[in-house]
Amino acid sequence: MKTGSLLAAVFLLAAGVVLIRMKLRHNDNDLSISVKTNHQHFEYQAKYNKSHTGDVEHYIALHTQPNNVFNHRDHHVKTTVILNDGTNFYINSSPGELNISMDKRVNTKKSINRINKMCSGIGDIINKRQPPHVSGYKLPAGQAAAL
C-alpha cells in the first residue's frame, strides 16, 4: 500500500512539473500588442517571443538611422530618442517586451506617422510577417541582427 501511494505521489509531482514547463513554454510564445492614442499621446506596447528581439532591434535601428537606439549588448534600453528630423519618443525595451511612447504635442504629423509606421512594422515582425515600411529590409528568418 505504501509503495502504491509513493508511486502515485511521484507520478503527480512529475505531471505537475511537466504541466508547469508546458505553461512556461506556451507563455514564451504568447503575443500581445496594445496601441493607445489620443490627441496628446501615443503609446505602443508589445510582448512577444524573445527569439524575435534581434529582428525587432534591427528593424528599429533601420527605421531610426543614423541614430543608434540599441547600443547596449544586453538588449535593455530605457531612453528618450530625438531623431535628426526632430521626432521625439521614449523607448523602453528588453527581450520580449517593447514600449514606445510619444507626446504628440511636441511632434509633427510627419513624425507621428513615422512612429506609427515603425510600430506597424514591428507588429509584422513579431507576427512573423516581413515589414513593408523600410525599403531594403532584409533579415533572414530566425537570424538575429548584430547591432
Side-chain angles (χ1 to χ4, degrees):
M1 183 75 169
K2 288 185 181 187
T3 305
S5 296
L6 181 61
L7 286 175
V10 169
F11 174 77
L12 288 175
L13 180 62
V17 169
V18 168
L19 288 174
I20 290 171
R21 292 193 69 189
M22 287 175 59
K23 177 67 174 160
L24 290 175
R25 189 175 311 142
H26 174 71
N27 284 343
D28 191 40
N29 292 323
D30 283 349
L31 172 65
S32 169
I33 297 174
S34 169
V35 179
K36 297 177 185 174
T37 187
N38 61 35
H39 66 284
Q40 295 180 348
H41 298 284
F42 169 86
E43 184 175 4
Y44 178 89
Q45 295 179 335
K47 292 185 181 184
Y48 54 92
N49 188 310
K50 291 178 184 179
S51 68
H52 294 296
T53 299
D55 294 349
V56 169
E57 290 178 358
H58 181 72
Y59 180 75
I60 292 172
L62 288 172
H63 210 77
T64 59
Q65 55 186 310
N67 293 61
N68 188 5
V69 176
F70 294 98
N71 57 1
H72 297 23
R73 284 285 182 202
D74 67 358
H75 304 282
H76 291 80
V77 173
K78 287 184 183 182
T79 190
T80 297
V81 178
I82 301 174
L83 302 178
N84 290 349
D85 68 354
T87 301
N88 182 323
F89 66 96
Y90 176 78
I91 185 168
N92 181 353
S93 179
S94 61
E97 294 188 29
L98 176 66
N99 295 307
I100 295 174
S101 61
M102 70 184 315
D103 185 338
K104 290 181 174 181
R105 297 169 294 185
V106 299
N107 284 286
T108 65
K109 286 184 180 185
K110 186 176 180 179
S111 294
I112 294 166
N113 288 335
R114 179 179 186 170
I115 298 303
N116 274 323
K117 284 183 179 181
M118 181 179 75
C119 290
S120 177
I122 293 165
D124 290 341
I125 290 170
I126 62 180
N127 277 306
K128 300 178 184 174
R129 297 185 301 260
Q130 182 168 321
H133 305 299
V134 173
S135 174
Y137 175 80
K138 302 276 189 226
L139 189 63
Q143 179 181 345
L147 300 176

